[in-house]
Amino acid sequence: KQLDAHALRTLQQRLRSQLDGADPGGFRKPFAALLLAEVARTDRVQPWMTADERSRMAEAAAAYLSSVRDYRGYVDGEGWRHGVAHGADWALQLVLNKALDASQAWQLLNALALQVAPGEGHAYAFGEPGRLARPVAYAVARGDLGQPAVDAWLAGLAASLGPRPEADPQAVWWARRANLENFLHALAYLAAGDPSPALSALATSARVTLQELP
């Protein structure tokens, strides 16, 4: 609470400009996203954005999550990039904000769905499935997404795998399946045992989706 709304707006604008253009080293965009998660948190704790500003931030977060193609986590001698995880953290702070409506939460979850099992077949190794699961669990905990829609969203993730290949090439398919399986386990773990009906139903749906994976 040491920055006023003007300073936070300026900071947000500068950070969002860091998401534009090429990023050959791969550090600038992920860490801009991570700092934008902190900017989003300030608005959740003590609102200062207008509804339009909040909507544009949700759009920017969804666009960033959808755009990540650099899947490097930690690289010895270089450090962290972790673009997917940082994008998930940004989405988390936004879905926690009750000022966002259900359609905006869905916008973020649909962008996040593109990174649960990337089509490129990258195998996550730096905790990304757990980081992706957190905004989903908290979005569902809001109670305004509707369980049938959540069930359909999870079923869509499973359907995106397609049938199990009978011959090569199949390594990409197996990597994607492992990513999805790890995400569903993380989601079921986060929701299990929670007394809220929405999270209890989410845990059940995640387990059912796991059982139905090809």
Side-chain angles (χ1 to χ4, degrees):
K1 299 181 181 180
Q2 296 182 49
L3 299 178
D4 62 18
H6 175 73
L8 288 166
R9 284 189 173 94
T10 301
L11 180 60
Q12 180 189 190
Q13 290 166 1
R14 291 181 179 178
L15 288 167
R16 287 197 29 203
S17 73
Q18 296 295 307
L19 299 176
D20 297 331
D23 183 15
F27 295 102
R28 172 168 48 83
K29 292 184 181 183
F31 281 92
L34 187 62
L35 287 172
L36 281 161
E38 290 302 303
V39 174
R41 187 178 70 84
T42 66
D43 181 62
R44 175 172 67 82
V45 173
Q46 184 172 306
W48 56 269
M49 292 187 200
T50 66
D52 184 60
E53 287 173 325
R54 206 171 285 118
S55 177
R56 283 187 275 117
M57 181 177 245
E59 290 174 2
Y64 170 74
L65 259 173
S66 301
S67 72
V68 175
R69 295 296 181 273
D70 185 342
Y71 294 104
R72 286 174 289 185
Y74 187 83
V75 177
D76 290 334
E78 298 181 7
W80 288 98
R81 271 100 170 169
H82 229 198
V84 167
H86 292 179
D89 292 347
W90 189 5
L92 172 65
Q93 292 301 329
L94 287 165
V95 300
L96 283 167
N97 192 331
K98 296 297 179 66
L100 257 70
D101 62 29
S103 67
Q104 292 166 323
W106 275 120
Q107 181 181 34
L108 290 162
L109 294 195
N110 288 334
L112 183 148
L114 300 174
Q115 302 296 357
V116 169
E120 292 86 345
H122 173 82
Y124 288 132
F126 296 98
E128 292 90 344
R131 294 280 275 278
L132 288 164
R134 289 167 64 203
V136 178
Y138 280 99
V140 171
R142 294 160 50 103
D144 60 351
L145 300 189
Q147 191 56 43
V150 173
D151 292 344
W153 186 82
L154 289 172
L157 292 178
S160 72
L161 282 178
R164 185 171 64 186
E166 299 296 332
D168 290 345
Q170 55 180 303
V172 167
W173 187 91
W174 283 106
R176 295 185 68 233
R177 186 191 188 283
N179 288 336
L180 177 54
E181 184 177 13
N182 290 335
F183 169 79
L184 292 170
H185 277 300
L187 194 58
Y189 176 80
L190 283 170
D194 193 282
S196 77
L199 284 180
S200 178
L202 175 63
T204 299
S205 188
R207 288 192 293 267
V208 168
T209 306
L210 271 167
Q211 293 166 359
E212 294 178 349
L213 289 182

